[in-house]
Structure formats: structure tokens, C-alpha cells
């Protein structure tokens, strides 16, 4: 028994002005989200990216090949209705940020983590007004509430589209600070991904490459890059 897949039913996808942004039309009919809300996005560049994804579909629709469309749907159907909850869930990463939990040995790994992560924490102190303190080991060590409040305020200030992108940047990297560094373009997105993978890279060097783990990592990196692109489309910088 074969899995049912939706078939392409339109000839062309186009961008149209809408009262609160930009819509995508398929043969003149407006696209809706899975929750049946109008798919209206904040920038023409994002709408154009959505239209290009629909135009690229062949006989059957493959949602996995439509990252901008899926993110826009999530922003409209989910994040916009639960903005405060989503923002706080993301902000909470600051209290257990990847960059703050350091190995106690071997010395080479300790040095790699410090070289990669200390500059990011220093940057966050200067650019974001929040100093997070690294600790040794994996036991939770609470961060300064004032620093966390400063970071949370900046997360809550994002609109639904940027927050949707930020959710993936933080969740995939495990670091609120890496997420902010991506938005501020402290480094290119590939470099930031590598900085978030110091521990995994060490394990690969020590034990060899696990092909399944490598494939999963490549998928996550692709999603990390897609999240940055979605943010830039929402901010009008892409």
C-alpha cells in the first residue's frame, strides 16, 4: 500500500500585495496555512522564497523541500498564538547554555572549548549586556538572574517570524548565545555551527566517524542554515 501524497494542481506561483504584508497565490488563489489562516508574510523577499518553493514542486508536493514555507506556517499557526511561551522557552536556554558547561579533561578538549567558547561569552557580555559564567562538569549551575533577564527581554522583543527562526538556531545549537551570534552575524553561519559542535568533533576524532550520527548532524546543519536564512528574510536583509 503506497503512501498518499498531494499532487501539484497549479501552473504558477506568484507574489501579491496583501493588507498586512505579502501573500503567495497559486494560479490566482491565495495559499493558506495548515490551520487555514492566510499565508501572509512580512517581506516580499520571504513571499518570493515561498513562491519559488511552490514553483519547484514537481508531480507531488514534498514539504521537506519547502523550509521557508514550513517556517512561515509555524510562525502564523503556532508562534504568533503562543509568543510569550515560545520566547520564554527559548530564553530558558540561557540558564543551561552549551557554552557554559566545560569538560575537566583531557587538557586538549578543555583548551578547545575555552578557545571556541570564551570569546562568544565575552561578546555576549559586551554586545548583549549579559555575562554568563562557565562551570566545569554537567551539573546545573544557575546563572545570574539579571543576565538571564537581559537576554530574555531581547528574545521576547522578537516578532513571530524572527522568533520562529531563533527557536531553531538556539534549539539546534544548544546555545542561546550562539543563536544571538548568528542574528548579529558575529561569524558566518557555518563557523557558528562548527563552534557549537566542539564536543562532537572531539568524539569523532577520538572514536571515528559514525555514519548515522554524521548524517543526522548534516541534517541539523542544513536546518540551522535554513533558520538563519528565514530570519534574514523576515528582517529584510536577505
Amino acid at each position: 500500500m503506497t503512501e498518499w501524497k498531494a499532487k501539484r494542481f497549479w501552473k504558477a506561483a506568484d507574489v501579491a500585495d496583501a493588507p498586512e504584508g505579502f501573500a503567495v497565490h497559486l494560479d490566482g488563489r491565495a495559499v493558506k496555512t495548515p490551520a487555514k489562516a492566510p499565508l501572509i508574510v512580512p517581506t516580499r523577499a520571504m513571499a518570493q522564497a515561498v513562491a519559488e518553493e511552490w514553483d519547484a514542486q514537481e508531480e507531488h508536493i514534498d514539504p521537506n523541500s519547502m523550509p521557508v514555507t514550513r517556517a512561515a506556517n509555524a510562525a502564523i499557526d503556532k508562534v504568533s498564538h503562543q509568543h510569550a511561551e515560545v520566547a520564554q522557552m527559548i530564553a530558558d536556554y540561557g540558564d543551561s547554555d552549551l557554552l557554559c558547561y566545560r569538560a575537566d579533561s583531557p587538557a586538549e578538549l578543555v583548551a578547545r572549548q575555552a578557545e571556541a567558547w570564551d570569546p562568544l561569552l565575552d561578546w555576549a557580555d559586551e554586545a548583549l549586556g549579559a555575562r554568563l559564567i562557565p562551570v566545569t562538569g554537567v551539573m546545573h549551575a544557575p546563572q545570574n538572574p539579571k543576565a538571564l533577564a537581559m537576554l530574555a527581554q531581547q528574545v521576547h522583543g522578537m516578532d513571530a517570524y524572527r522568533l520562529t527562526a531563533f527557536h531553531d538556531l538556539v534549539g539546534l545549537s544548544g546555545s542561546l548565545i550562539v543563536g544571538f551570534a548568528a542574528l548579529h552575524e558575529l561569524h558566518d553561519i557555518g563557523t557558528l555551527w562548527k563552534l557549537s559542535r566542539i564536543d562532537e568533533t572531539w568524539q569523532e576524532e577520538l572514536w571515528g566517524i559514525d555514519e548515522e550520527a554524521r548524517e543526522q548532524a548534516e541534517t541539523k546543519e542544513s536546518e540551522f542554515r535554513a533558520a538563519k536564512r528565514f530570519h534574514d528574510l523576515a528582517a529584510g536583509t536577505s
Side-chain angles (χ1 to χ4, degrees), residues 166-182:
F166 197 57
H167 173 276
D168 287 352
L169 289 168
V170 173
L172 289 165
S173 67
S175 170
L176 186 64
I177 301 306
V178 168
F180 274 118

Side-chain angles (χ1 to χ4, degrees), residues 48-65:
Q48 186 61 47
V50 171
E52 289 172 359
E53 289 181 346
W54 283 90
D55 259 342
Q57 301 305 299
E58 298 181 350
E59 181 181 358
H60 294 100
I61 302 172
D62 178 12
N64 292 325
S65 68

